[in-house]
């Protein structure tokens, strides 16, 4: 479960990135958030000769709103979208994004990266199909605009040419009167959908007069179903239209069956989720829910948002080798201590922490982003260190479980886990603790439901989650009281 060898470039401008793509063509692969690519590399399902890491392209880290559309640049992370005022004009996107993975995944994953990965069971392709997004793709030779049906070609396959990169996606802003909802069923919260539905309705005098419906997990590309949309807008009552749309979806979609769900079950889900999503979208037109309505006043048309939260290491380095493979000299501040080390470019951050710095409290369970055991804090955000290359942490501030507390002065979370028997073997515990440090910082008084969602990306094989949730409630109380817990 280690990435294969590759050459690594981290250009600082879009022109540099496009020149690299032009030079390497099919052998080059763009690395954006990396939350889908790193697992493929680690499982050796992808073997690019060259990795072009675009995370330093600050010029593409933006969310810009006009009264007609919201433009999202290639390096804008999903977490940023969740926190963005501009993105409030895209209620369907906000509704769908919460289904993507877990906070650790969304802290690194980008909107454009998810679209370019083109997994037909992912949420964002469904959103793009439902609203009719425009994809801005660029190469050194020029720019093209593609619509969703041109962009999504087949399983994990897009209309991007070898020398092109998705630099921006444009989501149209719908006028007030529309309500939106995203619904899905997956085996585990955060997994890809067995079936998902993106739904929107426009209501006049209580009647649905127009609808949008797009489905994920039911074929090689996201499917917009105009027959179901027409059916949804036919009935006098909302449920009449929703039932008719559900019947259309269940009869017209042609999903494949696999080890996770049969084709028949997916069709059944499509019908159930269609009704559910249409009802919720309709409620949102009626409730004036701010989370799903466009703001009355458009935000500053030109403004991007927020800081990038990316630290920059050395800009250029002479070519370096370690053990006969490409390497980089990097610097990281870990638990308050500066470190300089030379690492192969394919080495993950988890392996660098464990092998080079001896910080073995960061555990490796799955090594492809599923178990959460390797979670650390990178520039204050919880991330999975098996899904990051060590070179990507050059210049970063990191906190591992070793930096949280000490035996004679436990962190409140450690104290609470101890008090409430929140661990048995302890293998998963470092990942829970680091995940929860960031969660409680942002949510000092969480509900049990919020705690469950926060830890849904961390697997424990022996304790069970009740004691862990109890421990988190206790830790939150300790922290609100300003107590160390020791
Ligand atoms: Fe990184 Fe499992 S998520 S080891
Ligand atoms: Fe053993 Fe969680 S305490 S895996």
């Amino acid at each position: 479960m280690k990435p294969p060898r590759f050459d690594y470039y981290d250009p600082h401008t879009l022109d540099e990135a496009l020149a690299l793509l032009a030079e390497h063509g099919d052998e080059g692969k763009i690395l954006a958030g990396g939350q889908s690519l790193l697992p493929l590399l680690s499982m050796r399902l992808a073997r690019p000769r060259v990795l072009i890491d675009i995370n330093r392209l600050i010029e593409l880290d933006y969310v810009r709103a006009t009264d007609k559309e919201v433009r999202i640049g290639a390096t804008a992370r999903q977490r940023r979208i969740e926190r963005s005022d501009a993105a409030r004009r895209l209620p369907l996107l906000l509704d769908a994004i919460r289904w993507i993975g877990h906070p650790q995944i969304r802290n690194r994953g980008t909107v454009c990266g998810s679209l370019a990965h083109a997994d037909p069971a992912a949420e964002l392709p469904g959103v793009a199909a439902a609203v009719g997004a425009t994809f801005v793709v660029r190469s050194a030779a020029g720019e093209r605009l593609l619509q969703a049906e041109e962009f999504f070609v087949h399983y994990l396959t897009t209309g991007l040419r070898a020398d092109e990169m998705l630099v921006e996606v444009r989501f149209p802003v719908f006028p007030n009167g529309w309500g939106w909802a995203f619904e899905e069923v997956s085996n585990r919260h955060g997994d890809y959908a067995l079936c998902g539905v993106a739904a929107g309705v426009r209501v006049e005098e209580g009647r649905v007069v127009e609808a949008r419906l797009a489905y994920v997990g039911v074929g090689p590309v996201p499917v917009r179903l105009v027959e179901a949309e027409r059916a949804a807008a036919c009935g006098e009552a909302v449920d009449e239209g929703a039932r008719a749309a559900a019947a259309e979806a269940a009869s017209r979609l042609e999903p494949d069956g696999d080890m996770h769900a049969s084709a028949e079950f997916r069709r059944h889900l499509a019908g159930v989720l269609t009704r559910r999503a249409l009802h919720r979208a309709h409620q949102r037109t009626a409730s004036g829910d701010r989370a799903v309505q466009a703001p009355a006043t458009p935000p500053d048309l030109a403004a991007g948002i927020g800081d990038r939260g990316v630290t920059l290491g050395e800009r250029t380095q002479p070519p370096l080798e370690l053990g006969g493979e490409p390497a980089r000299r990097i610097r990281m501040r870990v638990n308050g201590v500066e470190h300089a080390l030379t690492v192969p470019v394919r080495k993950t951050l988890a392996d660098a922490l464990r092998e080079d710095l001896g910080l073995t409290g960061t555990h490796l369970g799955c090594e492809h982003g599923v178990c959460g055991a390797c979670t650390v804090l990178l520039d204050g955000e919880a991330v999975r260190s098996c899904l990051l290359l060590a070179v990507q942490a050059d210049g970063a501030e990191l906190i591992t479980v070793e930096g949280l507390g000490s035996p004679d002065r436990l962190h409140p979370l450690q104290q609470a886990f101890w008090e409430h028997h929140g661990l048995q073997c302890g293998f998963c515990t470092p990942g829970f603790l680091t995940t929860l440090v960031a969660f409680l910082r942002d949510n000092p008084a969480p509900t049990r439901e919020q705690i469950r969602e926060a830890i849904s990306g961390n697997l424990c094989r022996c304790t069970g989650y009740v004691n862990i949730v109890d421990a988190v409630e206790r830790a939150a109380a300790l922290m609100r009281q300003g107590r160390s817990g020791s």
Side-chain angles (χ1 to χ4, degrees):
M1 298 294 283
K2 306 293 178 194
R5 291 186 186 190
F6 48 74
D7 289 335
Y8 174 83
Y9 297 93
D10 54 345
H12 286 66
T13 67
L14 177 57
D15 286 344
E16 288 173 26
L18 295 178
L20 285 164
L21 268 179
E23 180 184 344
H24 296 288
D26 275 340
E27 297 192 310
K29 184 82 185 157
I30 296 281
L31 171 63
Q35 304 302 283
S36 301
L37 179 57
L38 260 294
L40 292 179
L41 293 175
S42 290
M43 291 188 277
R44 306 287 173 109
L45 295 172
R47 290 171 173 270
R49 199 177 61 73
V50 172
L51 219 53
I52 303 167
D53 181 352
I54 62 169
N55 280 280
R56 296 191 191 278
L57 300 189
I58 295 170
E59 63 195 284
L60 297 183
D61 184 17
Y62 59 81
V63 184
R64 292 176 184 146
T66 70
D67 53 355
K68 295 232 170 12
E69 62 185 8
V70 175
R71 301 180 174 192
I72 298 176
T75 56
R77 301 197 193 283
Q78 292 155 5
R79 197 70 165 149
R80 164 169 293 192
I81 308 305
E82 288 181 84
R83 295 166 173 164
S84 151
D85 280 342
R88 288 174 63 81
R89 299 178 65 74
L90 301 172
L92 179 61
L93 178 65
L94 286 183
D95 210 37
I97 222 163
R98 288 190 287 259
W99 293 93
I100 300 175
H102 312 284
Q104 299 102 309
I105 296 290
R106 301 197 294 271
N107 281 336
R108 291 297 301 181
T110 62
V111 169
C112 286
S114 174
L115 293 168
H117 183 58
D119 191 308
E123 293 79 6
L124 297 184
V127 172
V131 301
T134 300
F135 297 76
V136 183
V137 305
R138 202 174 294 172
S139 70
E143 183 174 288
R144 294 192 296 147
L145 301 183
L146 300 180
Q147 299 307 303
E149 57 275 17
E150 302 168 292
F151 188 79
F152 299 112
V153 173
H154 211 274
Y155 287 105
L156 308 179
T157 307
T158 68
L160 284 168
R161 296 172 186 148
D163 63 344
E164 283 180 329
M165 150 182 174
L166 176 61
V167 295
E168 180 182 276
V169 60
R170 298 173 183 169
F171 291 98
V173 170
F174 283 65
N176 285 334
W178 279 86
W180 298 92
F182 191 94
E183 293 282 353
E184 75 173 40
V185 168
S186 58
N187 280 333
R188 190 179 68 127
H189 179 78
D191 286 354
Y192 282 116
L194 298 177
C195 177
V197 182
V201 294
R202 184 167 69 84
V203 173
E204 284 180 4
E205 296 174 356
R207 284 197 57 210
V208 173
V209 293
E210 202 175 345
R212 293 286 181 108
L213 285 164
Y215 297 81
V216 299
V218 292
V221 293
V223 180
R224 187 172 159 204
L225 210 56
V226 290
E227 294 86 354
E229 292 175 355
R230 280 195 214 107
C234 273
E236 280 299 316
V238 182
D239 194 50
E240 198 181 328
R243 281 176 188 274
E248 287 287 346
S251 66
R252 288 185 182 274
L253 292 171
E254 297 178 343
D256 292 329
D258 58 26
M259 62 185 285
H260 300 296
S262 66
E264 187 187 358
F265 183 53
R266 284 194 159 94
R267 271 195 296 275
H268 169 74
L269 287 178
V272 171
L273 294 175
T274 298
R275 278 186 71 190
R276 196 180 290 171
L278 285 171
H279 274 286
R280 205 154 62 84
H282 183 266
Q283 283 166 6
R284 286 176 160 182
T285 62
S287 69
D289 182 346
R290 293 292 297 173
V292 294
Q293 294 283 334
T297 311
D300 179 357
L301 299 190
I305 61 147
D307 61 304
R308 176 158 174 70
V310 163
T311 45
L312 301 181
E314 290 176 28
R315 183 177 170 128
T316 53
Q317 291 187 20
L320 210 58
E321 283 202 349
L322 189 67
E325 59 179 291
R328 282 279 182 102
R329 186 90 178 140
I330 63 171
R331 280 201 293 263
M332 306 187 291
R333 190 174 166 83
V334 186
N335 302 329
V337 179
E338 292 284 349
H339 295 275
L341 56 159
T342 302
V343 289
V345 294
R346 67 175 171 137
K347 188 165 209 168
T348 65
L349 176 60
D351 283 342
L353 290 170
R354 291 173 57 82
E355 296 169 4
D356 296 61
L357 303 186
L359 296 170
T360 53
T362 297
H363 290 168
L364 281 172
C366 65
E367 294 193 83
H368 65 285
V370 172
C371 72
C374 65
T375 303
V376 299
L377 296 171
L378 181 139
D379 292 333
E381 301 287 8
V383 299
R384 293 182 164 169
S385 57
C386 72
L387 297 187
L388 272 159
L389 299 173
V391 288
Q392 294 184 287
D394 186 18
E397 174 95 30
L398 289 151
I399 296 180
T400 68
V401 69
E402 290 91 344
L404 296 186
S406 61
D408 57 346
R409 189 171 179 77
L410 296 176
H411 186 282
L413 273 162
Q414 293 169 316
Q415 174 77 23
F417 267 60
W418 175 61
E419 286 177 8
H420 286 268
H421 308 287
L423 68 156
Q424 287 191 57
C425 75
F427 185 83
C428 66
T429 310
F432 273 95
L433 295 176
T434 43
T435 297
L436 289 163
V437 165
F439 171 67
L440 291 182
R441 178 198 63 207
D442 297 340
N443 305 275
T447 63
R448 287 182 78 82
E449 195 54 36
Q450 288 169 328
I451 295 168
R452 284 186 175 280
E453 180 163 359
I455 60 174
S456 60
N458 294 75
L459 298 183
C460 175
R461 64 192 168 187
C462 56
T463 299
Y465 299 95
V466 172
N467 288 6
I468 292 174
V469 174
D470 290 346
V472 181
E473 281 191 313
R474 168 70 173 151
L478 286 172
M479 292 166 81
R480 287 197 300 274
Q481 292 161 13
R483 285 169 52 184
S484 72
S486 59

